[in-house]
């Protein structure tokens, strides 16, 4: 039998303790509950905090589970399951709008396209499943960064490359876009990633209201936009599609 690693066992015990009972625990509570010296418990907590698995409240000094651990938990909802639950709704969205639909999830430091419904006009198109899109400029990326703390951190720390003349690279402006996205529930990309292309996206949430992906409607600017803004009826359609998928993955009604 392989020898266990004590430090990993202790870290796992800390996470289990924080996952049950009270929402937040102090250092003394954690140390005494697990029979650890305060210095040992503090070292474990500092390491877990550095990795994003634990967060410390700035006022009380107490600890709770971090966003990274919650995001890893969301991966239990298999991407294939998410795709299967979105199939009918994304097909309907593509058919009703006449445009392409993408389903994206956070992966590494970008957005991974896990499902792509072609524009239903029999034109020649390239399947984009498996393609990566940037977080800072795409509608999918902005939605994920607005609702997922891990995605936001990656977008903030990333280079935010200038892809077109419309790409927002300034951190303060980017943060303002994320705030706007959260307040209205959707994000747009009008020629910020590709010239002549626009998109609008909305988040998919699970039963804990954590973001597990996003859906975007994508097409030519002249078809998706009026007066430089995405057409309101397309925004409504994307949001309804995302809500329907969210209900199917257990989020209930929004």
């Amino acid at each position: 039998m392989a020898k266990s690693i004590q430090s990993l066992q202790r870290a796992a015990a800390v996470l289990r303790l924080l996952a049950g009972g009270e929402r937040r625990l102090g250092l003394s509570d954690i140390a005494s509950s697990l029979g650890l010296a305060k210095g040992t418990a503090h070292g474990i907590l500092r390491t877990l905090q550095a990795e994003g698995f634990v967060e410390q409240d700035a006022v009380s000094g107490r600890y709770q589970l971090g966003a990274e651990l919650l995001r890893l938990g969301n991966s239990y909802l298999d991407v294939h399951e998410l795709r299967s639950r979105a199939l009918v709704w994304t097909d309907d969205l593509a058919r009703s709008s006449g445009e392409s639909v993408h389903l994206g999830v956070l992966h590494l430091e970008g957005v991974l396209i896990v499902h792509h419904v072609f524009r239903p006009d029999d034109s020649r198109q390239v399947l984009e499943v498996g393609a990566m899109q940037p977080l800072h400029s795409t509608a999918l990326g902005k939605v994920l960064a607005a609702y997922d703390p891990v995605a936001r951190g990656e977008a903030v720390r990333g280079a935010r490359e200038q892809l077109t003349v419309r790409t927002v690279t300034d951190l303060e402006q980017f943060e303002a876009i994320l705030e706007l996205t959260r307040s209205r529930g959707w994000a747009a990309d009008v020629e910020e990633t590709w010239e002549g292309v626009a998109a609008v996206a909305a988040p998919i949430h699970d039963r804990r209201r954590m973001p597990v992906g996003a859906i975007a409607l994508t097409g030519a600017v002249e078809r998706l936009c009026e007066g430089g803004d995405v057409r309101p009826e397309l925004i409504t359609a994307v949001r309804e599609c995302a809500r329907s998928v969210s209900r199917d993955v257990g989020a209930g009604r929004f």
Side-chain angles (χ1 to χ4, degrees):
M1 183 183 223
K3 187 177 180 180
S4 61
I5 301 175
Q6 188 180 56
S7 59
L8 292 180
Q9 288 181 321
R10 288 173 170 174
V14 169
L15 294 175
R16 291 193 189 97
L17 182 64
L18 291 174
E22 295 183 29
R23 176 177 169 80
R24 293 175 178 169
L25 293 172
L27 174 60
S28 297
D29 299 323
I30 294 171
S32 61
S33 295
L34 299 178
L36 299 174
K38 279 190 178 181
T40 301
H42 187 240
I44 293 171
L45 287 164
R46 285 183 60 188
T47 301
L48 291 173
Q49 186 177 3
E51 295 298 326
F53 295 141
V54 163
E55 295 174 356
Q56 185 179 30
D57 182 70
V59 177
S60 68
R62 290 175 172 264
Y63 294 89
Q64 65 182 23
L65 294 180
E68 175 66 11
L69 190 65
L70 295 175
R71 186 177 74 85
L72 289 177
N74 284 338
S75 68
Y76 188 77
L77 176 66
D78 187 86
V79 167
H80 296 296
E81 181 183 353
L82 179 61
R83 179 180 176 275
S84 68
R85 292 180 182 276
L87 285 176
V88 173
W89 303 111
T90 51
D91 283 350
D92 286 348
L93 179 60
R95 184 167 52 253
S96 63
S97 66
E99 301 295 343
S100 297
V101 177
H102 294 118
L103 172 64
V105 298
L106 178 66
H107 181 64
L108 300 178
E109 297 179 356
V111 183
L112 174 66
I113 304 302
V114 297
H115 183 51
H116 175 195
V117 185
F118 282 165
R119 186 173 63 254
D121 62 1
D122 296 325
S123 62
R124 185 174 181 178
Q125 299 171 62
V126 177
L127 184 65
E128 295 186 27
V129 172
M132 291 290 293
Q133 294 187 1
L135 283 169
H136 71 288
S137 63
T138 61
L140 287 169
K142 293 176 195 175
V143 163
L144 292 174
Y147 288 93
D148 186 335
V150 176
R152 176 191 169 277
E154 292 176 350
V156 166
R157 291 190 299 269
R160 294 189 301 282
E161 181 183 354
Q162 186 82 47
L163 302 170
T164 73
V165 294
R166 293 174 177 265
T167 308
V168 174
T169 60
D170 177 76
L171 180 56
E172 186 174 343
Q173 292 180 31
F174 180 68
E175 291 277 24
I177 289 173
L178 297 187
E179 180 63 32
L180 177 61
T181 298
R182 285 187 291 271
S183 69
R184 64 188 185 183
W186 56 273
D189 165 11
V190 181
E191 296 189 281
E192 294 175 51
T193 309
W194 300 282
E195 297 285 353
V197 177
V200 57
I204 300 170
H205 293 87
D206 67 3
R207 61 184 176 81
R208 293 172 296 176
R209 301 299 173 90
M210 289 294 293
V212 294
I215 288 175
L217 193 66
T218 304
V221 171
E222 59 267 25
R223 295 196 304 268
L224 265 65
C225 299
E226 288 180 355
D229 296 320
V230 178
R231 289 158 46 198
E233 66 270 22
L234 296 181
I235 296 171
T236 299
V238 170
R239 297 190 70 191
E240 284 300 320
C241 179
R243 288 193 187 103
S244 296
V245 179
S246 296
R247 287 194 293 269
D248 275 4
V249 298
R253 294 195 63 85
F254 280 78

